Amino acid sequence: MRIGILTSGGDCPGINATIRGVGKTAIMHYGMEVIGIHSGFKGILYKDVEPFTERSLSGILNLGGTILGTSRDKPFRKKLTANEDNVREELLKAYNELGLDCVVCIGGNGTMKTANVISEMGMNVIAVPKTIDNDIWGTDITFGFDTAVNIATEAIDRLHSTASSHKRVMVIEVMGHHAGWIALHAGMAGGGDVILVPELGYNIDDVNDFILLRAARKKPYSIVVVAEGIETPEGKKPAEYIAKMIKKSTGIDTRETVLGHIQRGGNPSPFDRILSTRLGSHATELISKGDFGKMVCVKGSQISSIPLKDVANKLKLIEPGNDLIEYGKQMGICFGHLENI
Ligand code: F6P
C-alpha cells in the first residue's frame, strides 16, 4: 500500500509525533510506502510531496509544529486552482496520479469537514483529530490540549505572585474560539478566581461584584481567566475589555495578558507525545484493515474510531453540568455569574 499523510489547519504540539506514529508503523510493521504531503490539501492538488523513510521520520517526536507545513485553505471554499469548478475532479485525479491507496488527514474541525468530503468523493481517508482547543466532537481529548493547558497554567501561576504583590486584578486571555476548554482546565489548574468561557456567557456586573466581595474578604487580588471566544461588545478584545470594565467598576488596579500563540508553539508534553503515538499507530492499523472513512478517537482510556460523517460539522463544547464547573462553583469560583457565591 502507498499512503499519504497531510496536516491541515492551525498547527499544534504533537503533530510530528503523530506523523511519526503513522509513518513508522506503516513502514516498519506493515511494509507500506509512505509519502508526506506538504501544506495541507493543496499539496495533493499540486502534488507537492516527499517520500518518507524510517530515517526521515526520526528525531521529530518532540518537535513542535509540523514538518509537513500546514494551511487553513479550504479546497472547496477558496480558489486553489485556475479551474475552480473542477476542483473535486482535479483532487481525485491528483490522488490517483500520486498512486495513493489512502490519505491520512491530521487536523481540526475544518479538516474533518474536508476529509469527510474527499472520503465521500471516493478517496480512502483516515483522519486524526488535532487541536489545542479540544473541541472536536467524537473524541474525549485531542493531542495538543495537554501541552496548551500546561503552558497556560504556568502563565497563570506566574501571574499569581505579581498579582498578590501589587494587590491587582490580572486578566489572562487564553485560546479557544468557540469552546472554553483551555480556559476551564488551565483556570482550574492555575487556581483562577474567575473563569469565563463562551459556552456559559457572563454578567460583567456579577464579575465586578465578585471581585469586590473577594477584596472585602481580605483577598485584595484576583486572577481572571478568559477564553478568547467570550462575547464582547463589537470590536472589543476580550482581555482588554474585561480588564477595563473591572478597573472602571471596582477601582482596583487591573492588568491584562494575552497568551496567544505561545500556547500552540514548542514541544508537546509527554502526555501528548504518547497520545499522538497511540492515535497515529491506530490510524495505520485501520488502513491495514481497509477500514476507511474513519476518525481515530479517544473513548475513556481506549483508542477507538468513529465514522467521519458523524464528526463533520459538529463541535464539542462544554456542556451544562460539566463536573469541573460544578466542583469549581462549590469551591467559590466565579464562572461569570453570582448565583453560586
Ligand atoms: O484552532 C486553534 C486556535 O488556536 C484557536 O484557539 C484560535 O482561535 C486560532 O487557532 C488562531 O488561529 P491562527 O493561528 O490562524 O490565528
Side-chain angles (χ1 to χ4, degrees):
M1 282 184 108
R2 181 172 155 90
I3 69 167
I5 307 173
L6 65 81
T7 58
S8 180
D11 72 339
C12 99
I15 296 183
N16 290 324
T18 308
I19 295 172
R20 175 180 175 272
V22 172
K24 283 203 173 191
T25 311
I27 296 167
M28 304 296 286
H29 187 66
Y30 293 105
M32 296 173 183
E33 210 183 315
V34 183
I35 62 166
I37 300 167
H38 289 232
S39 310
F41 291 95
K42 65 182 173 192
I44 302 180
L45 275 174
Y46 301 151
K47 299 198 194 106
D48 183 3
V49 299
E50 64 171 305
F52 277 150
T53 60
E54 192 271 332
R55 194 155 171 221
S56 65
L57 293 172
S58 287
I60 61 168
L61 175 62
N62 62 351
L63 208 64
T66 161
I67 57 166
L68 288 171
T70 188
S71 128
R72 286 203 189 272
D73 288 340
K74 296 183 175 53
F76 306 117
R77 270 213 242 145
K78 201 175 154 198
K79 192 167 175 155
L80 290 181
T81 63
N83 195 352
E84 192 182 12
D85 296 338
N86 287 339
V87 70
R88 288 177 184 233
E89 287 79 1
E90 281 183 55
L91 257 178
L92 205 50
K93 193 164 153 255
Y95 169 84
N96 287 322
E97 283 172 0
L98 285 167
L100 292 174
D101 295 304
C102 175
V103 58
V104 178
C105 304
I106 304 171
N109 280 305
T111 305
M112 294 308 137
K113 270 191 221 169
T114 308
N116 185 46
V117 175
I118 65 169
S119 164
E120 286 177 345
M121 277 163 48
M123 293 185 207
N124 293 331
V125 176
I126 293 293
V128 186
K130 66 97 242 230
T131 167
I132 62 165
D133 292 350
N134 194 34
D135 62 353
I136 298 183
W137 195 88
T139 186
D140 290 355
I141 189 164
T142 52
F143 67 80
F145 176 62
D146 180 70
T147 307
V149 168
N150 274 299
I151 296 166
T153 303
E154 197 206 324
I156 296 169
D157 286 348
R158 287 178 183 278
L159 289 177
H160 264 283
S161 59
T162 174
S164 81
S165 304
H166 285 266
K167 301 182 178 55
R168 279 174 175 156
V169 175
M170 290 290 187
V171 179
I172 176 167
E173 180 184 316
V174 297
M175 278 187 171
H177 207 71
H178 303 286
W181 294 107
I182 299 177
L184 173 60
H185 282 244
M188 289 299 285
D193 306 300
V194 179
I195 300 172
L196 305 182
V197 298
E199 293 93 327
L200 297 184
Y202 62 96
N203 178 334
I204 193 66
D205 295 330
D206 281 3
V207 172
N208 293 331
D209 287 348
F210 176 79
I211 287 166
L212 287 174
L213 211 65
R214 272 178 57 83
R217 289 175 185 159
K218 305 249 174 301
K219 290 184 170 171
Y221 77 94
S222 293
I223 302 288
V224 180
V225 183
V226 307
E228 68 170 325
I230 59 162
E231 216 177 311
T232 53
E234 185 74 25
K236 305 271 186 217
K237 294 178 179 161
E240 208 178 297
Y241 169 73
I242 297 290
K244 205 169 158 192
M245 296 303 284
I246 291 172
K247 184 165 187 195
K248 195 169 148 204
S249 166
T250 65
I252 301 174
D253 202 12
T254 304
R255 297 283 189 274
E256 78 261 8
T257 301
V258 179
L259 208 47
H261 289 77
I262 302 275
Q263 289 157 99
R264 239 169 62 185
N267 298 352
S269 65
F271 178 90
D272 278 335
R273 295 179 202 185
I274 300 293
L275 181 56
S276 301
T277 301
R278 292 175 79 205
L279 289 169
S281 297
H282 192 67
T284 310
E285 199 180 317
L286 293 181
I287 297 170
S288 76
K289 291 180 184 155
D291 194 0
F292 302 118
K294 297 278 178 69
M295 180 189 86
V296 292
C297 62
V298 181
K299 286 276 162 234
S301 59
Q302 299 298 312
I303 301 294
S304 178
S305 65
I306 51 169
L308 251 177
K309 63 175 168 37
D310 293 350
V311 176
N313 302 307
K314 289 183 190 157
L315 267 183
K316 186 184 71 184
L317 301 175
I318 298 171
E319 292 191 350
N322 174 287
D323 68 340
L324 196 50
I325 292 187
E326 292 309 312
Y327 292 135
K329 281 182 182 174
Q330 290 170 19
M331 293 165 66
I333 293 162
C334 173
F335 288 91
H337 307 274
L338 264 187
E339 96 270 23
N340 58 306
I341 312 300

PDB file of all heavy atoms in Angstrom, residues 10 72 131-133 175-177 228 261 264, ligand 1:
ATOM      1  N   GLY A  10      -4.697  25.010  11.861  1.00  0.00           N
ATOM      2  CA  GLY A  10      -3.657  25.558  12.748  1.00  0.00           C
ATOM      3  C   GLY A  10      -2.752  24.448  13.273  1.00  0.00           C
ATOM      4  O   GLY A  10      -3.211  23.336  13.489  1.00  0.00           O
ATOM      5  N   ARG A  72      -4.596  26.830   6.204  1.00  0.00           N
ATOM      6  CA  ARG A  72      -6.021  26.876   6.542  1.00  0.00           C
ATOM      7  C   ARG A  72      -6.875  26.944   5.273  1.00  0.00           C
ATOM      8  O   ARG A  72      -8.085  27.141   5.345  1.00  0.00           O
ATOM      9  CB  ARG A  72      -6.307  28.088   7.434  1.00  0.00           C
ATOM     10  CG  ARG A  72      -5.825  27.925   8.870  1.00  0.00           C
ATOM     11  CD  ARG A  72      -6.619  28.851   9.775  1.00  0.00           C
ATOM     12  NE  ARG A  72      -6.089  28.905  11.129  1.00  0.00           N
ATOM     13  CZ  ARG A  72      -6.456  28.060  12.091  1.00  0.00           C
ATOM     14  NH1 ARG A  72      -7.295  27.101  11.849  1.00  0.00           N
ATOM     15  NH2 ARG A  72      -5.951  28.209  13.306  1.00  0.00           N
ATOM     16  N   THR A 131      -6.054  19.517  17.875  1.00  0.00           N
ATOM     17  CA  THR A 131      -6.249  20.940  18.166  1.00  0.00           C
ATOM     18  C   THR A 131      -5.969  21.193  19.642  1.00  0.00           C
ATOM     19  O   THR A 131      -6.324  20.360  20.491  1.00  0.00           O
ATOM     20  CB  THR A 131      -7.679  21.450  17.852  1.00  0.00           C
ATOM     21  OG1 THR A 131      -7.855  22.750  18.434  1.00  0.00           O
ATOM     22  CG2 THR A 131      -8.770  20.549  18.420  1.00  0.00           C
ATOM     23  N   ILE A 132      -5.355  22.320  19.913  1.00  0.00           N
ATOM     24  CA  ILE A 132      -5.163  22.664  21.323  1.00  0.00           C
ATOM     25  C   ILE A 132      -6.514  22.966  21.976  1.00  0.00           C
ATOM     26  O   ILE A 132      -6.645  22.905  23.195  1.00  0.00           O
ATOM     27  CB  ILE A 132      -4.207  23.869  21.516  1.00  0.00           C
ATOM     28  CG1 ILE A 132      -4.757  25.145  20.872  1.00  0.00           C
ATOM     29  CG2 ILE A 132      -2.824  23.546  21.017  1.00  0.00           C
ATOM     30  CD1 ILE A 132      -4.055  26.408  21.331  1.00  0.00           C
ATOM     31  N   ASP A 133      -7.518  23.305  21.137  1.00  0.00           N
ATOM     32  CA  ASP A 133      -8.812  23.737  21.696  1.00  0.00           C
ATOM     33  C   ASP A 133      -9.640  22.600  22.294  1.00  0.00           C
ATOM     34  O   ASP A 133     -10.588  22.853  23.034  1.00  0.00           O
ATOM     35  CB  ASP A 133      -9.652  24.419  20.606  1.00  0.00           C
ATOM     36  CG  ASP A 133      -9.050  25.734  20.164  1.00  0.00           C
ATOM     37  OD1 ASP A 133      -8.106  26.207  20.822  1.00  0.00           O
ATOM     38  OD2 ASP A 133      -9.517  26.296  19.149  1.00  0.00           O
ATOM     39  N   MET A 175      -6.478  30.795  24.453  1.00  0.00           N
ATOM     40  CA  MET A 175      -7.162  30.460  23.203  1.00  0.00           C
ATOM     41  C   MET A 175      -8.421  29.637  23.450  1.00  0.00           C
ATOM     42  O   MET A 175      -8.609  29.059  24.516  1.00  0.00           O
ATOM     43  CB  MET A 175      -6.209  29.744  22.254  1.00  0.00           C
ATOM     44  CG  MET A 175      -5.327  30.699  21.484  1.00  0.00           C
ATOM     45  SD  MET A 175      -4.358  29.836  20.248  1.00  0.00           S
ATOM     46  CE  MET A 175      -3.655  31.234  19.370  1.00  0.00           C
ATOM     47  N   GLY A 176      -9.207  29.557  22.423  1.00  0.00           N
ATOM     48  CA  GLY A 176     -10.482  28.832  22.485  1.00  0.00           C
ATOM     49  C   GLY A 176     -11.545  29.715  21.885  1.00  0.00           C
ATOM     50  O   GLY A 176     -12.112  30.565  22.566  1.00  0.00           O
ATOM     51  N   HIS A 177     -11.740  29.532  20.575  1.00  0.00           N
ATOM     52  CA  HIS A 177     -12.630  30.446  19.861  1.00  0.00           C
ATOM     53  C   HIS A 177     -14.098  30.154  20.155  1.00  0.00           C
ATOM     54  O   HIS A 177     -14.864  31.038  20.483  1.00  0.00           O
ATOM     55  CB  HIS A 177     -12.343  30.339  18.367  1.00  0.00           C
ATOM     56  CG  HIS A 177     -12.682  31.587  17.651  1.00  0.00           C
ATOM     57  ND1 HIS A 177     -11.933  32.732  17.792  1.00  0.00           N
ATOM     58  CD2 HIS A 177     -13.710  31.896  16.838  1.00  0.00           C
ATOM     59  CE1 HIS A 177     -12.495  33.690  17.073  1.00  0.00           C
ATOM     60  NE2 HIS A 177     -13.559  33.205  16.479  1.00  0.00           N
ATOM     61  N   GLU A 228     -10.689  33.336  24.583  1.00  0.00           N
ATOM     62  CA  GLU A 228     -10.728  34.370  23.534  1.00  0.00           C
ATOM     63  C   GLU A 228     -12.096  34.499  22.871  1.00  0.00           C
ATOM     64  O   GLU A 228     -12.412  35.541  22.299  1.00  0.00           O
ATOM     65  CB  GLU A 228      -9.677  34.065  22.461  1.00  0.00           C
ATOM     66  CG  GLU A 228      -9.959  32.826  21.645  1.00  0.00           C
ATOM     67  CD  GLU A 228      -9.037  32.663  20.436  1.00  0.00           C
ATOM     68  OE1 GLU A 228      -8.658  33.659  19.823  1.00  0.00           O
ATOM     69  OE2 GLU A 228      -8.704  31.514  20.126  1.00  0.00           O
ATOM     70  N   HIS A 261      -0.195  32.776  20.663  1.00  0.00           N
ATOM     71  CA  HIS A 261       0.353  31.574  20.024  1.00  0.00           C
ATOM     72  C   HIS A 261       1.437  30.863  20.837  1.00  0.00           C
ATOM     73  O   HIS A 261       1.866  29.777  20.454  1.00  0.00           O
ATOM     74  CB  HIS A 261       0.863  31.925  18.628  1.00  0.00           C
ATOM     75  CG  HIS A 261      -0.266  32.218  17.680  1.00  0.00           C
ATOM     76  ND1 HIS A 261      -0.938  33.406  17.695  1.00  0.00           N
ATOM     77  CD2 HIS A 261      -0.849  31.457  16.736  1.00  0.00           C
ATOM     78  CE1 HIS A 261      -1.895  33.377  16.775  1.00  0.00           C
ATOM     79  NE2 HIS A 261      -1.863  32.201  16.183  1.00  0.00           N
ATOM     80  N   ARG A 264       0.523  27.468  21.468  1.00  0.00           N
ATOM     81  CA  ARG A 264       0.487  26.496  20.364  1.00  0.00           C
ATOM     82  C   ARG A 264       1.863  26.063  19.903  1.00  0.00           C
ATOM     83  O   ARG A 264       2.006  25.062  19.211  1.00  0.00           O
ATOM     84  CB  ARG A 264      -0.274  27.128  19.200  1.00  0.00           C
ATOM     85  CG  ARG A 264      -1.476  26.330  18.814  1.00  0.00           C
ATOM     86  CD  ARG A 264      -2.355  27.047  17.867  1.00  0.00           C
ATOM     87  NE  ARG A 264      -1.728  27.359  16.605  1.00  0.00           N
ATOM     88  CZ  ARG A 264      -2.314  28.083  15.653  1.00  0.00           C
ATOM     89  NH1 ARG A 264      -3.544  28.527  15.850  1.00  0.00           N
ATOM     90  NH2 ARG A 264      -1.722  28.336  14.533  1.00  0.00           N
TER      91      ARG A 264
HETATM   92  O1  F6P B   1      -7.553  26.245  16.158  1.00  0.00           O
HETATM   93  C1  F6P B   1      -6.896  26.545  17.316  1.00  0.00           C
HETATM   94  C2  F6P B   1      -6.706  28.008  17.516  1.00  0.00           C
HETATM   95  O2  F6P B   1      -5.615  28.002  18.353  1.00  0.00           O
HETATM   96  C3  F6P B   1      -7.861  28.802  18.122  1.00  0.00           C
HETATM   97  O3  F6P B   1      -7.993  28.710  19.504  1.00  0.00           O
HETATM   98  C4  F6P B   1      -7.525  30.207  17.703  1.00  0.00           C
HETATM   99  O4  F6P B   1      -8.678  30.983  17.638  1.00  0.00           O
HETATM  100  C5  F6P B   1      -6.930  30.003  16.365  1.00  0.00           C
HETATM  101  O5  F6P B   1      -6.385  28.708  16.360  1.00  0.00           O
HETATM  102  C6  F6P B   1      -5.904  31.007  15.959  1.00  0.00           C
HETATM  103  O6  F6P B   1      -5.520  30.703  14.661  1.00  0.00           O
HETATM  104  P1  F6P B   1      -4.441  31.468  13.792  1.00  0.00           P
HETATM  105  O7  F6P B   1      -3.120  30.903  14.139  1.00  0.00           O
HETATM  106  O8  F6P B   1      -4.821  31.169  12.387  1.00  0.00           O
HETATM  107  O9  F6P B   1      -4.531  32.910  14.140  1.00  0.00           O
END
